[in-house]
Amino acid sequence: MFICSRLVVVSVAAGLLSLVQGQNSDESVLIDPRTRLSSNITLPAPGSPILQSDFEIPPDCGETSYVGSGRLRGRRALITGGDSGIGRAVTIAFAREGADVVINYLPEEQSDADDVVSVIEATTNSSIYIIPGDLRNETFCKELVHNAADLLGGLDILINNAGYALASPNITSLTTESLTRTIETNVFAPVFLTRAAVPLMPPGSSIVFTASLIIESPSYLMADYGGSKAFLLTFAQSMAAGLMAEAGIRVNAVRPAITYTPFLSSQGQTAEGAMRIGAATPLGRVRHPVELVPQYMALVGNDPGYTTGGFS
Ligand SMILES: *[C@@H]1O[C@H](CO)[C@@H](O)[C@H](O)[C@H]1NC(C)=O
Ligand SMILES: *[C@@H]1O[C@H](CO)[C@@H](O)[C@H](O)[C@H]1NC(C)=O
Ligand SMILES: *[C@@H]1O[C@H](CO)[C@@H](O)[C@H](O)[C@H]1NC(C)=O
Ligand SMILES: *[C@@H]1O[C@H](CO)[C@@H](O)[C@H](O)[C@H]1NC(C)=O
């Protein structure tokens, strides 16, 4: 599987290079959003880890479609969960926009991280560094931030994106192990990372948390996950209030609705279930990760500048 996925990426990346370079940027082509990306999705069987390369129809993370225009040239970003799903789309887009990036991911997801490196190296002049490790470890979180800043020559974007969820049919079947992992990954780690990063970040820097729309329609099956995302939203708002005044740092949270990612499988979702939820949205399909990029871009770029404590 490892070798296979690398080969696929190399060929994708070669096609992509011509796409990126051959783009006629004078034209803005209209595309119907309902049919732009596949509404037909498949999910690998639940298990751990779930990789991008396990998908029959891979989630679109912008590998062949995202074209940058130098909007983040010179910026330095640390992105957790940058190997797959939303984090992968954000990583590819940031690098295409000229940012140098460090991604963190779990060691068992190495092949997905290698894919991202191949895609970025084949299609950008941005630097990408990979630092695997489990964010539940406080010491590791601190080292990750400092190592990222050393590799990048500084740090001005932190994307707290990595998350964990495991559906549990009811409160009596929620295990302490799963609850602990959810809270340590989704709550403690972003706090550890933010605490380590802020002293290194110059004014104009941005921190973004990946929260979730689950906050507005809580699910009994994902009660601990929903609670952890509600924490992130409030925490982001608190940080925004203090860090702008104190350090000129913008802090925001993105609240994605259901998105086609390996995360769906690992939390116990089925393709049928996900397609049913997607069908009830205005576009009539689940969102692909690349379709979240504009939200993150707006919150880290210099163009809008003002938004802080807001939720995209
Ligand atoms: C959806 O994709 C699966 C897997 O590739 C395929 O077997 C199925 O025919 C597709 N369904 C539709 C409606 O396109
Ligand atoms: C990378 O840099 C080289 C040399 O400056 C340049 O010719 C090339 O277009 C750049 N590639 C991309 C994808 O920006
Ligand atoms: C936590 O991370 C530190 C630094 O990377 C490492 O030395 C230590 O062994 C880790 N602890 C555990 C329990 O994995
Ligand atoms: C909770 O879920 C477990 C595991 O599916 C099941 O055995 C148990 O009957 C459920 N309890 C209630 C009160 O529904």
Side-chain angles (χ1 to χ4, degrees), residues 38-42 56-57 275:
S38 176
S39 58
N40 183 23
I41 64 168
T42 59
E56 204 177 319
I57 305 168
M275 281 194 278

Side-chain angles (χ1 to χ4, degrees), residues 27-53:
E27 282 177 32
S28 178
V29 179
L30 284 174
I31 302 170
D32 187 334
R34 295 167 298 179
T35 48
R36 178 172 171 260
L37 292 171
S38 176
S39 58
N40 183 23
I41 64 168
T42 59
L43 289 177
S48 187
I50 310 283
L51 300 172
Q52 289 271 140
S53 51

Side-chain angles (χ1 to χ4, degrees), residues 1-2 5 42-59 108 111-112 115 260 262 265:
M1 193 199 332
F2 181 75
S5 71
T42 59
L43 289 177
S48 187
I50 310 283
L51 300 172
Q52 289 271 140
S53 51
D54 293 335
F55 282 76
E56 204 177 319
I57 305 168
E108 56 266 34
S111 63
D112 274 353
D115 284 356
Y260 185 34
S265 284

Side-chain angles (χ1 to χ4, degrees), residues 17 20-21 96 122-126:
L17 197 56
V20 171
Q21 290 173 342
R96 293 256 167 88
T123 59
T124 77
N125 288 324
S126 303

